[in-house]
């Protein structure tokens, strides 16, 4: 039996939040349906943030209202209590909170100190528990901050500990600017897996320096079995200078397939979703493997793995 790895596509949120072309809720749903058609079972569908701060995520409530029922797990990012209320009212059942590893990044991203951000997390996690909403939390810039530089391992570990103590069920360790390398990833994920359990962790990488899949591979060695990817490599944080696209979902799925893991995702369907992402945003070329994948599809030699 092949070992399963869960892929969460964050294209409809991380991928679209910084696009010059703002998509309509219906176009965002079109992208989500293409991901579902490919067998992607976890999707981050949007965020409930200030539309002044992130205009591209306005109308996430309409996206949520239009989601096909059944079969997939949908989540949405929530920066504060107001966002939580909006997400809950929209019917979101999994929220993702976010705390960065440094004060400067938290101030730029969500206008709070790290301490206040963590207090908000604890408060919202408690509300979520009472409401039957599952609360996850991102630790953003877990390896390096664009403003404060390298982040000591102990700083990220301490923040994750506070997240779990606050009742967060799953922590996503995020390399928001794509500055981490496989050695650093292995150090932090190994330590985090030993203390918190690999099953309660997932990883989120950006491909800024081309190390996205290498970093996935490093985290796999620590036992992590859940990863964010973004269709076509779309992405970038508007508040983190230098952050480019996320590691492309197609690159991660292809690598996992070849390594003998099971993702439940069909690569041909994924390529169709990439083509749609390119058409909709006009600002994405697809992941590093896209040309090879297209050639295999043309030749009819892409193995059906899903
Ligand atoms: N959704 C929608 N509107 C929100 C909101 C939310 N979650 N939180 C606050 N607002 C509105 C307030 O109602 C207020 O509106 P008004 O100006 O019409 O009165 C305005 O935003 C300012 O509210 P305030 O609480 O002072 O927020 P702020 O200016 O300190 O900004 C955030 C804080 C979190 C709302 C803002 O920084 C944000 O949305 N950041 C997004 C971060 C993000 O998406 N990063 C990328 C992913 S990690
Ligand atoms: Zn990201």
């Amino acid at each position: 039996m092949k070992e399963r790895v869960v892929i969460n596509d964050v294209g409809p949120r991380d991928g679209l939040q910084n696009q010059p072309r703002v998509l309509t809720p219906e176009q965002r749903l079109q992208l989500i349906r293409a991901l579902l058609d490919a067998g992607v079972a976890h999707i981050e569908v949007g965020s409930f943030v200030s539309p002044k701060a992130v205009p591209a995520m306005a109308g996430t409530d309409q996206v949520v209202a239009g989601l096909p029922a059944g079969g997939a797990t949908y989540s949405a990012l929530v920066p504060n209590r107001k966002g939580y209320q909006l997400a809950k009212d929209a019917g979101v059942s999994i929220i993702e909170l976010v705390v960065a590893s440094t004060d400067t990044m938290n101030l730029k991203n969500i206008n709070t100190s790290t301490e206040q951000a963590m207090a908000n997390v604890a408060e919202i996690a408690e509300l979520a528990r009472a409401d039957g909403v599952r609360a996850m939390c991102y630790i953003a810039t877990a390896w390096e901050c664009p403003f404060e530089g390298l982040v000591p391992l102990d700083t990220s570990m301490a923040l994750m500990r506070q997240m779990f103590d606050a009742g967060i069920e799953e922590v996503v360790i995020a390399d928001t600017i794509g500055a981490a390398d496989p050695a650093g990833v292995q150090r932090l994920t190994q330590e985090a897996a030993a203390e918190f359990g690999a099953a309660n962790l997932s990883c989120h990488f950006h491909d800024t320096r081309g190390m996205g899949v290498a970093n996935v591979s490093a985290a796999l060695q620590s036992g992590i079995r859940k990863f964010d990817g973004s269709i076509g490599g779309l992405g970038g944080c508007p508040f983190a200078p230098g952050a480019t696209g996320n590691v492309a979902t197609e690159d991660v799925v292809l690598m996992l397939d070849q390594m003998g893991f099971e993702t439940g995702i069909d690569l041909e369907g994924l390529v169709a979703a990439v083509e749609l992402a390119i058409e909709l945003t006009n600002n994405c070329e697809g992941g590093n493997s896209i040309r090879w994948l297209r050639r295999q599809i043309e030749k009819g030699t892409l193995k059906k793995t899903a």
Side-chain angles (χ1 to χ4, degrees):
M1 253 252 308
K2 287 186 173 183
E3 206 183 334
R4 185 150 189 113
V5 173
V6 172
I7 299 296
N8 177 46
D9 197 293
V10 299
R13 196 278 300 173
D14 209 1
L16 295 182
Q17 69 183 5
N18 202 25
Q19 290 298 320
R21 191 188 271 181
V22 172
L23 304 192
T24 64
E26 177 45 35
Q27 288 173 317
R28 291 157 65 188
L29 280 164
Q30 221 185 321
L31 185 61
I32 290 167
R33 287 193 294 267
L35 292 168
L36 293 170
D37 286 346
V40 179
H42 286 68
I43 303 175
E44 187 186 28
V45 299
S47 56
F48 290 87
V49 298
S50 158
K52 280 188 202 136
V54 189
M57 288 292 106
T60 293
D61 54 340
Q62 293 168 56
V63 173
V64 171
L67 290 170
T73 300
Y74 303 118
S75 59
L77 187 115
V78 160
N80 58 10
R81 194 168 165 162
K82 170 156 185 171
Y84 173 71
Q85 193 59 46
L86 293 171
K88 194 186 82 142
D89 292 348
V92 170
S93 56
I94 305 178
I95 55 153
E96 290 151 336
L97 296 154
V98 58
V99 179
S101 60
T102 65
D103 276 324
T104 316
M105 188 63 210
N106 282 313
L107 282 170
K108 300 266 184 195
N109 193 34
I110 50 175
N111 200 23
T112 63
S113 64
T114 308
E115 197 183 340
Q116 185 58 49
M118 199 58 83
N120 294 346
V121 162
E123 186 193 334
I124 296 169
E126 199 178 322
L127 291 173
R129 216 173 10 259
D131 293 333
V133 169
R134 183 175 156 84
M136 296 167 55
C137 192
Y138 276 89
I139 172 164
T141 57
W143 285 274
E144 188 168 332
C145 167
F147 308 104
E148 296 191 27
L150 286 176
V151 176
L153 184 142
D154 290 346
T155 303
S156 292
M157 285 297 293
L159 287 171
M160 285 190 253
R161 200 170 296 125
Q162 287 181 53
M163 290 171 188
F164 283 113
D165 287 348
I168 292 298
E169 296 178 42
E170 182 179 326
V171 170
V172 188
I173 314 175
D175 180 22
T176 310
I177 56 170
D181 59 73
V185 168
Q186 202 166 5
R187 273 195 298 276
L188 182 59
T189 53
Q190 238 167 31
E191 193 147 328
E195 182 168 338
F196 311 118
N200 302 314
L201 297 165
S202 103
C203 284
H204 173 110
F205 296 113
H206 282 251
D207 213 12
T208 317
R209 304 185 191 180
M211 291 184 227
V213 293
N215 288 338
V216 170
S217 170
L220 276 169
Q221 286 180 46
S222 302
I224 309 288
R225 292 292 180 269
K226 188 172 176 204
F227 295 94
D228 285 357
S230 173
I231 191 68
L234 281 174
C237 175
F239 309 101
T244 61
N246 294 65
V247 65
T249 303
E250 60 273 25
D251 291 348
V252 177
V253 170
L254 176 60
M255 181 182 80
L256 291 168
D257 273 2
Q258 282 196 213
M259 289 173 80
F261 290 101
E262 197 218 304
T263 61
I265 297 173
D266 170 45
L267 277 166
E268 195 162 344
L270 215 45
V271 171
V274 175
E275 308 301 2
L276 179 66
I278 292 171
E279 185 192 319
L280 289 172
T281 63
N282 195 28
N283 187 34
C284 149
E285 292 172 359
N288 298 318
S289 63
I290 191 67
R291 279 182 295 278
W292 184 85
L293 286 168
R294 283 186 186 127
R295 264 202 316 280
Q296 307 317 303
I297 291 171
E298 272 166 29
K299 292 192 292 186
T301 51
L302 198 61
K303 269 193 292 179
K304 198 98 187 142
T305 45

